[in-house]
Amino acid sequence: MNADDPLTPLALLAQAERTIAGLPVGDLVAEFQSRGLPIYLVGGSVRDALLGRLGNDLDFTTPARPDVISPILEAWAGSVWDTGIEFGTVSAVHRGQQVEITTFRSDTYDGVSRNPAVMFGDTLEGDLIRRDFRVNAMAVEMLIDDRGELTARFHDPLGGLADLAARRLDTPDAPEISFRDDPLRMLRAARFVSQLGFSVAPRVKAAMSDMAGEIERITVERIQVELDKLMLGEAPWAGMNLLVNTGLAGYVFPEIPAMRDMRDEHNQHKDVYAHSMQVLRQAIDQEQEGPDLVLRWAALLHDCGKPDTRAWNEDGRVTFHHHEVVGAKKVRRRLRALKYPKHVIGDVSQLIYLHMRFYGFGEGQWTDSAVRRYVTDAGELLPRLHKLVRADSTTRNQRKAARLQRTYDHLEERIADIAAREDLARVRPDLDGNEIMQILGVPAGPVVGRAWAFLKELRLERGPLEREAAIAELRAWWEAEQSQGTS
């Protein structure tokens, strides 16, 4: 089912029945049933089964305690891991199917951290009501019938099926209680909006707005994980809009709502926030191998330096000089604060830094040297830079949009033409460090580094040189260095 399909409870149940009947867990269910222990598919697994999008990770719950669950799973799968056993969870993989089985829980929260005092429960309903949203608070009791076939019995004490049919997110308890127990659930709401195409119930949105500051109780590592899941969803702009409109984004990524808060009484430039969301959509349209987290973050944040660089020239026109430089710095700081990996920080900020470089190409014919520098500075990011720059055209003027795309087509043709004549993927000096030392008769040290940098600049400017020409240029440079006393 996709986000545009009409959902009815009967259609959802029929979809789930077909999905669950094909799960390779009949022998596991039989083991629990032979011991008189019920076992339930639960949470997101039930939601996804109803939507026809169940993956290879299955979540189960049971009244059995971990010391009972472990030997059953070991006999079924051969090996288990119990890293979550303090929370009552035992996991295994069998026939490509990952299974997590958790004892009924009845947790309590202290209202300070998001970590509950784990308490095992005795009822299915008690386990379900502690969950984040009603669409995640349904269960399917797994049974083996008299014919030895896997069957299912649906449990929905909190109305999750109705919410799912309405594409609505609502909490089992009052949202204020749910979010006070675990503020991360507010980010999960935005993530599900992005992933599932759902909306949030009015009372949930109101509680998110009123309690946005509670998100500061959550570690940045957990925030980063939820933000990435949101950004990798089918409609990240929808999830981000919810974070911005409720004020949560101001706490977790303030550079994003800052783009919306720009006001221009003269209406001399497009809404930066709306433009960024459109660029995000257009970048996603160019993805060819699945969601690209780096491209998506760069598309959303490429203009985040504009609020700090807005000015007016003598003609009264608004300008944003060097917003790409400022934006790259801001993004590096924010992503570091959110504990992103270094390679993600570097790639996203470099794309932002480079995204305006192309516009110089439209002002006149670039030299081969300029094209080489464009490719070299982008490095492995060049395919993403192509997509980002093309996505950055959101003008409604069809003639202008077509001109920009033609200009970029021409740049890519120039890149391909030069690449056919020389190795643009790895622009290196024509002489390496050992050759430099041998030719100049110098030991390893700063001189070799400066000579290498000179030859690299020469390579960018003039393209590949014959060896003798490169040696002559190196010796001429060295004579100049010695005459200036910089050796």
Side-chain angles (χ1 to χ4, degrees), residues 87-99:
F87 300 105
T89 300
V90 186
S91 307
V93 174
H94 183 54
R95 301 177 199 159
Q97 194 80 59
Q98 181 170 320
V99 169

Side-chain angles (χ1 to χ4, degrees), residues 262-300:
M262 292 179 65
R263 296 289 183 262
D264 178 13
E265 65 273 19
H266 301 297
N267 196 30
Q268 290 186 328
H269 65 85
K270 65 184 71 176
D271 183 312
V272 176
Y273 177 79
H275 163 73
S276 299
M277 288 299 176
Q278 183 62 25
V279 173
L280 174 59
R281 288 186 180 92
Q282 293 179 175
I284 289 173
D285 287 342
Q286 298 180 71
E287 291 175 339
Q288 298 171 327
E289 299 179 358
D292 184 336
L293 184 65
V294 166
L295 176 64
R296 291 184 179 201
W297 273 123
L300 175 60

Side-chain angles (χ1 to χ4, degrees), residues 456-477:
K456 172 69 176 294
E457 184 68 20
L458 192 66
R459 171 70 174 78
L460 286 169
E461 187 65 31
R462 293 170 51 181
L465 297 177
E466 296 292 337
R467 177 176 172 78
E468 291 307 316
I471 292 173
E473 292 287 351
L474 174 64
R475 285 176 172 157
W477 170 84

Side-chain angles (χ1 to χ4, degrees), residues 354-374:
L354 292 173
H355 85 273
M356 290 297 294
R357 185 79 64 85
F358 155 72
Y359 291 94
F361 184 75
E363 296 171 1
Q365 186 69 30
W366 274 10
T367 63
D368 285 357
S369 172
V371 175
R372 289 189 196 100
R373 293 175 193 279
Y374 189 78

Side-chain angles (χ1 to χ4, degrees), residues 343-363:
H343 69 92
V344 174
I345 297 171
D347 288 352
V348 174
S349 59
Q350 183 69 352
L351 284 171
I352 293 170
Y353 176 74
L354 292 173
H355 85 273
M356 290 297 294
R357 185 79 64 85
F358 155 72
Y359 291 94
F361 184 75
E363 296 171 1

